[in-house]
Amino acid sequence: MAQASASAAGRARGSLLTWERLPLGLALPVVGLLVWEWAARAGYLPPWQVPAPSDIYYTVADLLATGELWLHIGASVRRVLLGFLIGGGLGLLVGLGVGLSKLVERLLNATLQAIKSVPSLGWVPLLILWFGIGETSKLTLIAIGSFFPVYVNAVAGLKGVERKLIEVGQVQRRSKGGILLRIMVPAAMPSFLTGLRVGLTQAWLFMVIAELMAASEGLGFLLAMGREVARPDLLLGSLVLLALLGKGS
């Protein structure tokens, strides 16, 4: 009972500290927006390059009112989730294989490390040549971006498990599957979660690249349209939405 009460008190304190930090974390953005609004209204910032935050807000509000924005957000979120599930899932599976088997590591790791060194934009011409400019090329690019952070962190997590923990499992005569599920995976879980988190961030980044190269909907498409029609309010509004969605996910 006492341990349960202490645990509940600890969670309450952690939650309180989080809410206490929130106003401090919002202070800089709020002050920055106020200064930005003042500078834009006072004429210190050219409106055709840096519109006021209120103008960006009205642009986003108009897109919301017509329902157009939800179509673009839905398209981008769908691509990110599908690409992340494919790339992150494969990265986790391959990372488990490389992290657990010396043979698989010798077979795959050098090749994957070489492929990882290819710049992200280098994949675009090849994917367009192979798959055209449809959804397949976009999802493949996002999956590639998600794969490597998950893979690298999965391998590092498994390789970093203390040998003593594995020896304890062997002394207790656990099976190889039991050692994997009860000892190695829990010990490597922080690295797994870090990889998934970075992989999801990369999925958003590669989604923008994919939609900039060719798309008729999505937040990347709004970015491209804002550039082509010289609408900085639309361009900056899309960037703000990408930042909020990325942070939220």
Side-chain angles (χ1 to χ4, degrees), residues 83-159:
F84 175 69
L85 287 174
I86 296 169
L90 288 175
L92 195 57
L93 289 175
V94 177
L96 286 171
V98 172
L100 295 173
S101 171
K102 291 290 185 181
L103 176 61
V104 176
E105 181 181 9
R106 288 194 295 268
L107 184 64
L108 295 179
N109 191 52
T111 301
L112 291 175
Q113 291 295 337
I115 294 174
K116 185 170 73 71
S117 302
V118 177
S120 56
L121 289 176
W123 292 103
V124 174
L126 182 63
L127 293 177
I128 292 177
L129 177 65
W130 283 352
F131 305 116
I133 59 174
E135 287 296 302
T136 302
S137 59
K138 295 178 179 62
L139 292 177
T140 303
L141 184 62
I142 296 169
I144 291 172
S146 305
F147 174 88
F148 287 104
V150 178
Y151 163 75
V152 169
N153 281 276
V155 173
L158 291 170
K159 295 291 187 183

Side-chain angles (χ1 to χ4, degrees), residues 100 169 173-186:
L100 295 173
R173 297 183 179 180
R174 292 184 180 271
S175 64
K176 290 184 178 180
I179 291 174
L180 173 63
L181 295 176
R182 300 299 299 274
I183 296 175
M184 296 187 69
V185 169

